[in-house]
Amino acid sequence: MSTPTWDEFAELALKRIAKSGAEYGDIRIQDSSTEHIEGEDRRIASIRDVQDIGFGVRVLYHGAWGFAASSILSLEEVPRVADLAVEIAKGSASVALEKVRLAPEPVHRDRVVTPYHIDPFSVPLEKKTDLLLNTMEVLQRQSGIARSSASLWARRDRKLFVSTEGSHLEFDLLAGQGECTATALYESRFASRSFNTPHLRKGYELIEEADFLREASRVADQAIEKVKAPVVDAGQYDLVLDPEHLSLTIHESCGHPSELDRALGYEANYAGTSFLTTEKRGNFRYGSQHVNLVADNTEPETLAATGYDDDGVVCQRWDIVRNGMFVGYCTSREVAPKIDESRSRGSNRADGWGNVPIVRIANIGLEPGEATRDQLMADVKRGIYIEGHGSYSIDQRRYNFQFGGDAFWLIENGRRTHMVRDVIYHGITPEFWSSCDGVADQSFRRRYGFITCGKGQPGQSGWMTHAAAPARFRRVQVLRGEGSP
């Protein structure tokens, strides 16, 4: 007897859903493979290969959702799980106070494949471990470096989405990333500096295009400079923020508040709501005229550019903030009608077969301006240039925040001079973005991906990419961080 195909499993589930009288249903079958190689202090510390396969069935019955999932993909299990999803939906419908209404979406039949040159799962393990060992050797051969680490990560998702509306979508998606870190020791004090490729939907060429050995030498030098740097003096500074640092600022202060389910209060008891409430759309000044934040799930190589979301909605590009005004949300088919939008923005994604999709941040980027990075710094008398991610906190409405970073340089009279340490700046989101008076041009634009964005109950990890060029912010309050004397 031949093994049933995924299409046969999907047809089996949809027949059970149709028989129940439900107005909508879909099935996602997913097979995910992840490889993670980690090195610490000149040795390979762990090699993990994880495969995760299963399916989830979602049913909308009389305006209420039911969802069930299983890791057993068989002719007996699929109808059992489909029936369970129907039963849960019927139970939900009996107590629901408000009926779910889905925004319409055309039927799609498509196959989405990540373009790549080198399959990371075909690269010999010895070649990968040699790269990590050589990288750690460069990191740690410099006097003053006490610890080193390096890692490579790759994931492939094969998925089938089929709905009762007739959509049939196949996916073969790939993503990868690599990084290294040097930790310096000086006078009983530690400081780390890191290099990482962004998480992108590319093959192993992403790793080969990055010069790990050159970057390792640079971050080791900078870790030593960082640990010996003077503590920053608290006060008001102009800030010039690099793209990697801005990716986190955008994620926390724009991405999360622009999730419509959060603005409607659905996420309130886990990760907070949003100060961007629905009456502000179109008439709230979020930032200065230099601030244009654009959602784009169509840009090649970015993490949320999956062709379609888990509602079967085609990926799109739209404005979140235009000329400083807040104008748009990330939405699903369920929440889009609540603000009278006729179509979802295609931002409903699950982190695997076992979870129901929820509204996730799109790829959101800061549009480039016209300056160079040096021109931005040339007009700063007393400021700080910040690179990379550090500690951060932000309140439940994404309003008051503070951010650290990975490296900080003092800017004096238009020139970047020397490193300082323990920098933390704080602000209020719209006031901070209103202080932006310049963004560097397209040639400085870089992209950084996130794969651990937490949301939902049960918790899920979301994937998205944030792009930016360096930007300048005036008169921002800077504090000394935890490590200050």
Side-chain angles (χ1 to χ4, degrees), residues 238-443:
D238 293 340
L239 302 182
V240 178
L241 306 179
D242 93 312
E244 184 176 10
H245 180 86
L246 274 170
S247 68
L248 181 59
T249 312
I250 293 168
H251 182 88
E252 299 295 343
S253 69
C254 177
H256 279 304
S258 71
E259 294 170 312
L260 180 55
D261 63 335
R262 193 183 293 272
L264 294 171
Y266 293 0
E267 186 74 0
N269 63 341
Y270 175 53
T273 60
S274 168
F275 75 95
L276 290 175
T277 44
T278 54
E279 79 283 359
K280 292 188 174 72
R281 187 172 57 136
N283 55 37
F284 177 74
R285 178 151 290 285
Y286 176 93
S288 73
Q289 62 177 348
H290 299 276
V291 177
N292 293 293
L293 291 155
V294 178
D296 189 354
N297 288 346
T298 68
E299 181 175 340
E301 300 180 351
T302 56
L303 294 181
T306 54
Y308 303 83
D309 72 353
D310 287 330
D311 269 343
V313 176
V314 69
C315 288
Q316 301 160 40
R317 186 179 195 273
W318 70 99
D319 286 339
I320 302 293
V321 175
R322 174 54 56 185
N323 297 326
M325 297 297 292
F326 166 60
V327 294
Y329 286 107
C330 302
T331 63
S332 66
R333 292 184 69 183
E334 177 178 348
V335 298
K338 294 182 181 297
I339 54 171
D340 297 323
E341 290 204 337
S342 60
R343 189 185 186 192
S344 165
R345 296 294 188 180
S347 289
N348 207 35
R349 304 191 297 275
D351 75 350
W353 56 265
N355 279 312
V356 67
I358 54 178
V359 178
R360 303 310 306 244
I361 304 172
N363 297 320
I364 296 178
L366 177 65
E367 279 196 347
E370 298 179 348
T372 68
R373 187 182 63 179
D374 287 347
Q375 286 171 337
L376 292 177
M377 284 194 273
D379 195 28
V380 173
K381 186 174 182 181
R382 178 175 184 260
I384 300 172
Y385 176 70
I386 302 178
E387 282 187 359
H389 297 169
S391 64
Y392 71 94
S393 68
I394 191 163
D395 70 21
Q396 291 285 295
R397 297 178 65 230
R398 308 280 158 175
Y399 199 61
N400 292 278
F401 64 74
Q402 63 180 37
F403 286 96
D406 192 52
F408 318 93
W409 285 266
L410 207 60
I411 304 172
E412 296 174 300
N413 299 316
R415 292 181 58 252
R416 197 171 88 168
T417 55
H418 61 82
M419 272 193 177
V420 290
R421 61 183 169 88
D422 299 335
V423 174
I424 289 178
Y425 68 90
H426 73 92
I428 295 173
T429 300
E431 294 178 3
F432 171 76
W433 284 102
S434 292
S435 75
C436 178
D437 74 341
V439 183
D441 64 37
Q442 176 72 25
S443 66

